[in-house]
Amino acid sequence: MGMFFPAVLVFFFSFIVMLYPRQMPSAKKVLQDKVQRGITTALEKKMELGRSLKEITLDTIPAFKRLIRNQALTFLIIGDIFLFLSIGAYSYYPKLYVKIFRLSYKEIGMIKGISSIIGFVIGLTISGLLMRLKEWNPKQLQLVYAIISGLAIPFTFGILIYCPTETHAGVDVSYSELLSTNFSQLSPPALTGACNSDCACATAIYQPVCDGNVTFFSPCHAGCREVELDEDDQVVSYVDCQCTRSGRAMPGGCGQQCPTRLYISLVVTTIGTVIGFSGFAAHAYIYQRVVSEVDRTFTQGIRSSVTRALGTLPAPVLFGWVIDKFCTVWRVSEDGTTGNCWVYDLDSLLLVFTFLRVAMRTLSFTFYLLCWWVYPEKSAPAKLEEEEEGDCKKINKDGDLQNGDGQNGFND
């Protein structure tokens, strides 16, 4: 039933779409610009309006060859691939924000959801206003979009504004370093040490406790043997802890929330979202202008397939693999099964995660610039008039439209 109501809406609005004319009033002007740039010909436009399904199917391979030879389109699609690879990292932002700002998934979901919606709305609004600002030609618009994509790159660093990370005993610092004054006999960090070796501690459940400076994975890993409860049987503290200097530990990690840094990070990333989406309309427009009229629909299919196959789909796998590489404590069940990660090396993870995104956005920006660079310049002005019914026309070498008998098809 979840798909029923959207299907009804699509069915209803499809009748409205059917009311559009086969060719919009501005199509003649667009076609003239494409003829001047050598992207299309009037004959191709005439062929598009009169082709059958069989003819369209047989033209698939020639159309694919035409698109491959289109350098501007190729660079544009490659730029989109790297952009979608970078955007794929957003699926892990809630998880990272929970770790670095110590909030619940519910709180992060609401905060990030609101900030993202604000960024989308403002960005798309600016995108529409930008298109109405002046009458851009496609080459100018591609340069504008490339600049916009470049301006959004620095705001990717917004996630590096986060709360100070916790120090985990047995992970970042060894138990011997916490307890010993003889630093010449320090052992490497490990969750199991001399102070808790007889406790048979496991990592199936993450139950952090804090001795005031260092976070321990659980009361067991802190070597705590007794617990203090209040009148409601709630844990107040753990005592007789062999792995802490004070002998006590409090429930929860030592890390503190930092709302100021959270707000700054959200503002920076939201500004980046606004800038990124301010070129949305321009980007969609360029795809319609960079190819021949005949190849528009086929181009959208190729673009959608390629960017999703090489960008959208592998991105979560790639960033998930990167995140897993920085896991320092995995969940291990009693039967030895490895589950999710409990503790990450957040400082290193965020640096690699961010610079990987920046590298992808930079490559995307580079290919957008290349698309602008190779986009065809206008040649000698070409004239287009309404085609007479049944009149076969073509473009001569000077850009003039001719009838089938070779005579000029325009009135002098």
Side-chain angles (χ1 to χ4, degrees):
M1 290 297 292
M3 299 297 294
F4 176 75
F5 293 105
V8 171
L9 290 175
V10 171
F11 181 77
F12 173 75
F13 284 109
S14 63
F15 289 99
I16 300 177
V17 175
M18 289 173 62
L19 299 177
Y20 279 97
R22 190 167 190 177
Q23 188 180 59
M24 298 299 287
S26 60
K28 179 181 175 182
K29 184 176 181 181
V30 172
L31 177 59
Q32 179 175 335
D33 182 80
K34 288 188 176 183
V35 170
Q36 291 173 341
R37 297 176 186 276
I39 295 175
T40 189
T41 66
L43 181 59
E44 287 178 338
K45 179 62 179 177
K46 187 177 183 66
M47 287 171 55
E48 180 196 18
L49 296 176
R51 291 191 306 167
S52 65
L53 179 61
K54 181 180 179 180
E55 291 173 329
I56 294 174
T57 305
L58 293 175
D59 190 47
T60 300
I61 296 178
F64 188 70
K65 291 180 180 178
R66 288 196 299 271
L67 297 187
I68 291 177
R69 290 194 297 265
N70 189 327
Q71 287 185 325
L73 176 64
T74 301
F75 289 141
L76 192 59
I77 291 179
I78 295 175
D80 278 357
I81 290 173
F82 284 110
L83 177 64
F84 278 97
L85 280 171
S86 175
I87 292 175
Y90 280 114
S91 58
Y92 293 101
Y93 264 50
K95 179 176 184 176
L96 293 177
Y97 268 73
V98 166
K99 294 288 186 181
I100 63 180
F101 292 111
R102 304 180 183 93
L103 298 173
S104 67
Y105 278 99
K106 180 180 179 180
E107 293 172 317
I108 288 297
M110 182 175 64
I111 293 172
K112 283 296 293 178
I114 293 174
S115 64
S116 297
I117 291 174
I118 292 174
F120 295 157
V121 171
I122 298 177
L124 291 175
T125 303
I126 295 175
S127 176
L129 294 175
L130 182 65
M131 294 295 292
R132 297 180 63 87
L133 183 64
K134 61 170 289 187
E135 191 172 342
W136 306 93
N137 69 53
K139 191 174 180 72
Q140 291 175 332
L141 208 55
Q142 177 58 29
L143 178 60
V144 170
Y145 181 71
I147 293 173
I148 288 174
S149 65
L151 291 175
I153 294 175
F155 296 92
T156 308
F157 291 101
I159 196 173
L160 294 181
I161 306 172
Y162 58 92
C163 301
T165 55
E166 302 172 89
T167 300
H168 287 85
V171 177
D172 304 309
V173 60
S174 65
Y175 297 115
S176 58
E177 187 175 348
L178 291 174
L179 299 174
S180 176
T181 56
N182 185 3
F183 294 100
S184 62
Q185 298 180 355
L186 298 181
S187 60
L191 284 178
T192 301
C195 59
N196 61 16
S197 58
D198 59 341
C199 300
C201 303
T203 59
I205 299 177
Y206 183 47
Q207 189 182 355
V209 295
C210 175
D211 72 344
N213 298 305
V214 180
T215 298
F216 292 81
F217 190 86
S218 69
C220 177
H221 288 86
C224 302
R225 303 179 185 276
E226 297 182 21
V227 59
E228 292 182 346
L229 304 176
D230 59 15
E231 56 186 17
D232 297 324
D233 290 335
Q234 299 295 318
V235 177
V236 176
S237 64
Y238 297 94
V239 296
D240 195 14
C241 301
Q242 304 300 309
C243 298
T244 66
R245 289 199 175 193
S246 62
R248 301 176 66 89
M250 307 299 291
C254 295
Q256 301 294 322
Q257 295 182 355
C258 52
T260 301
R261 295 192 183 189
L262 171 62
Y263 297 143
I264 295 174
S265 178
L266 287 174
V267 169
V268 172
T269 54
T270 301
I271 293 174
T273 302
V274 170
I275 295 175
F277 273 85
S278 63
F280 181 83
H283 193 46
Y285 179 79
I286 293 164
Y287 264 106
Q288 300 298 317
R289 299 295 295 273
V290 77
V291 295
S292 167
E293 301 289 318
V294 183
D295 298 326
R296 275 188 177 184
T297 305
F298 190 57
T299 300
Q300 293 304 317
I302 292 295
R303 173 208 179 189
S304 178
S305 301
V306 172
T307 54
R308 279 160 177 75
L310 301 180
T312 305
L313 292 180
V317 178
L318 172 63
F319 283 100
W321 176 79
V322 170
I323 290 174
D324 287 345
K325 285 296 180 181
F326 291 93
C327 179
T328 53
V329 181
W330 289 93
R331 175 182 180 179
V332 180
S333 304
E334 294 180 359
D335 60 358
T337 304
T338 302
N340 58 293
C341 182
W342 288 126
V343 181
Y344 292 95
D345 179 3
L346 288 175
D347 292 323
S348 301
L349 167 59
L350 290 171
L351 279 175
V352 173
F353 188 88
T354 303
F355 279 100
L356 184 59
R357 288 201 64 216
V358 169
M360 291 176 177
R361 294 297 294 265
T362 303
L363 286 171
S364 177
F365 165 68
T366 302
F367 280 102
Y368 289 150
L369 279 180
L370 287 173
C371 174
W372 163 76
W373 182 262
V374 302
Y375 199 96
E377 296 283 356
K378 280 190 176 183
S379 60
K383 301 177 182 179
L384 292 175
E385 291 187 355
E386 296 294 334
E387 299 181 0
E388 299 177 4
E389 239 178 274
D391 196 14
C392 180
K393 303 176 180 181
K394 60 183 179 180
I395 297 294
N396 66 14
K397 62 181 181 180
D398 298 322
D400 294 327
L401 196 62
Q402 292 184 337
N403 295 328
D405 56 2
Q407 296 300 317
N408 196 319
F410 296 113
N411 297 323
D412 294 330

